[in-house]
């Protein structure tokens, strides 16, 4: 074959490389849209899921926070410029509760899909496995953000004063989305190690409640240290959920969140990376398909 013939044969491949790449990107985005749409449709058919997601934090706000409104008032400390009642302080923590529970519930959905064989079908699609998992993660985060926003609206309607209509509200929305992604990635990672649906409740009790109560969701860190609970203080300092709540809280009032964004985004990368490693068929997922439904 002459050099001229060889160049002619190679030319179409080079000319078509960019359209093929564009089609690949379009295909990946279409798959993400399909996965997210599936989760949204499934969520819209589960009205009880939305109700339970709102009732839990609203009970804390309307009963617990209101009952201790004048007992646990928060002094003038960052990010606040004035004395605030306890119900105002607790709202970012309750938003974090919504994100945490939905992230863990997504773990349950992943285990269920794996046992039913749906996860195996999804992960054998002709797309990179991390992209498919990232699409699932984005769908989880979107549902978490929508539920959290619904809770914030209801909290504002029942009289909790929050600086929502300001530029800092956009920063708080970014913090909300980042926290949802981090906790969704944690749920994705946990779904690797939960072998059966029967083990889900026990595993979640060792994740949800320690993460929530050993954080600043209910009380500031300085109160823990002031009360002499040093070991609780130290555990709360190293709890990634603490930084997710603090980022939302500081962003809501237009203050510098410090290290919180770096901790949240760093934990997001670590959790998601470990989840991708666990769902790799050469490592974790090969065993998971055998334990779950649909495996040979």
């Amino acid at each position: 074959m002459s050099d001229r013939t060889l160049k002619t044969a190679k030319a179409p491949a080079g000319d078509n490389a960019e359209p093929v790449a564009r089609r690949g990107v379009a295909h990946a985005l279409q798959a993400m849209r399909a996965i997210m749409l599936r989760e949204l449709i499934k969520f819209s058919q589960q009205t009880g899921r939305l109700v339970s997601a709102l009732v839990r934090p609203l009970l804390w706000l309307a009963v617990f926070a209101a009952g201790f409104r004048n007992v646990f008032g928060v002094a003038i400390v960052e990010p606040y410029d004035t004395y605030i009642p306890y119900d105002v302080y607790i709202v970012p923590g309750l938003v974090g509760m919504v994100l945490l529970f939905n992230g863990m519930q997504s773990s349950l959905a992943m285990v269920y899909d794996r046992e039913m064989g749906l996860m195996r079908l999804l992960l054998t699609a002709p797309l990179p496995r991390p992209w498919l998992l990232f699409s699932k993660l984005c769908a989880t985060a979107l549902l978490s953000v929508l539920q959290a926003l619904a809770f914030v609206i209801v909290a504002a309607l029942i009289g909790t004063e929050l600086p929502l209509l300001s530029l800092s509200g956009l920063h708080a929305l970014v913090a909300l989305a980042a926290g949802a992604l981090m906790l969704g990635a944690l749920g994705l990672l946990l779904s690797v190690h939960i072998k059966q649906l029967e083990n889900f409740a026990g595993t979640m009790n060792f994740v949800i409640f320690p993460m929530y109560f050993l954080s600043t969701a209910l009380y500031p860190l300085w109160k823990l240290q002031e009360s002499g609970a040093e070991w609780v203080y130290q555990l709360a300092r190293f709890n990634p959920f603490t930084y997710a709540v603090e980022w939302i809280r500081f962003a809501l009032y237009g203050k510098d969140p410090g290290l919180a964004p770096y901790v949240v985004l760093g934990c997001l990368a670590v959790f998601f990376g470990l989840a991708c490693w666990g769902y790799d068929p050469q490592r974790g997922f090969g065993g998971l398909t055998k334990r779950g439904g649909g495996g040979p």
Side-chain angles (χ1 to χ4, degrees):
M1 184 181 291
S2 65
D3 292 342
R4 184 176 180 180
T5 306
L6 184 61
K7 290 179 181 179
T8 303
K10 289 182 177 180
D15 294 341
N16 292 333
E18 188 174 348
V20 168
R22 284 200 298 267
R23 286 197 297 270
V25 172
H27 180 52
L29 293 176
Q30 184 180 17
M32 172 182 275
R33 184 180 64 181
I35 292 172
M36 296 180 71
L37 187 61
R38 173 183 180 267
E39 294 299 322
L40 285 172
I41 293 174
K42 185 169 69 172
F43 178 76
S44 67
Q45 297 171 348
Q46 300 171 337
T47 54
R49 185 175 170 186
L50 175 61
V51 172
S52 63
L54 294 179
V55 167
R56 189 184 302 111
L58 284 174
L59 279 175
W60 280 77
L61 184 63
V63 179
F64 183 80
F68 291 96
R69 182 184 182 97
N70 296 321
V71 178
F72 293 131
V74 179
I76 304 175
V77 293
E78 290 288 339
Y80 308 107
D81 295 323
T82 183
Y83 173 89
I84 62 162
Y86 185 58
D87 59 331
V88 173
Y89 175 83
I90 204 177
V91 164
L94 295 178
V95 168
M97 173 192 281
V98 175
L99 303 182
L100 178 61
F101 273 84
N102 192 68
M104 297 305 103
Q105 194 165 7
S106 71
S107 177
L108 172 63
M110 292 285 284
V111 176
Y112 178 81
D113 286 348
R114 190 179 70 222
E115 289 201 346
M116 296 298 104
L118 299 176
M119 184 56 59
R120 186 179 183 185
L121 292 175
L122 173 65
L123 295 180
T124 53
L127 284 168
R129 190 175 298 258
W131 177 257
L132 295 170
L133 292 173
F134 180 70
S135 299
K136 288 283 290 184
L137 176 58
C138 288
T140 298
L142 177 60
L143 292 178
S144 296
V145 169
L146 292 176
Q147 292 175 59
L149 291 177
F151 164 71
V152 169
I153 292 172
V154 176
L157 289 176
I158 64 176
T160 305
E161 298 181 2
L162 298 170
L164 299 176
L165 301 178
S166 62
L167 290 177
S168 59
L170 296 176
H171 184 192
L173 185 60
V174 172
L176 187 68
L181 285 169
M182 183 194 76
L183 294 170
L186 177 59
L188 194 65
L189 175 59
L190 290 173
S191 70
V192 174
H193 302 285
I194 300 175
K195 300 178 183 180
Q196 296 177 339
L197 289 173
E198 291 79 4
N199 300 333
F200 179 80
T203 304
M204 290 304 99
N205 286 335
F206 286 99
V207 176
I208 292 178
F209 295 111
M211 285 193 76
Y212 186 72
F213 288 109
L214 297 176
S215 72
T216 57
L218 300 177
Y219 25 71
L221 280 178
W222 64 268
K223 275 191 175 290
L224 291 174
Q225 195 172 31
E226 187 182 67
S227 64
E230 186 65 25
W231 67 274
V232 179
Y233 169 75
Q234 294 298 335
L235 287 175
R237 280 186 58 211
F238 290 97
N239 182 359
F241 182 70
T242 290
Y243 294 93
V245 171
E246 288 300 284
W247 188 4
I248 296 171
R249 180 174 284 128
F250 275 72
L252 196 59
Y253 290 89
K255 299 299 179 66
D256 181 14
L259 293 176
Y262 302 101
V263 174
V264 170
L265 296 177
C267 289
L268 164 61
V270 171
F271 294 156
F272 183 69
L274 291 174
C276 291
W277 185 87
Y279 275 100
D280 189 326
Q282 301 301 323
R283 297 183 178 90
F285 192 70
L288 292 174
T289 51
K290 293 177 183 178
R291 292 195 297 262

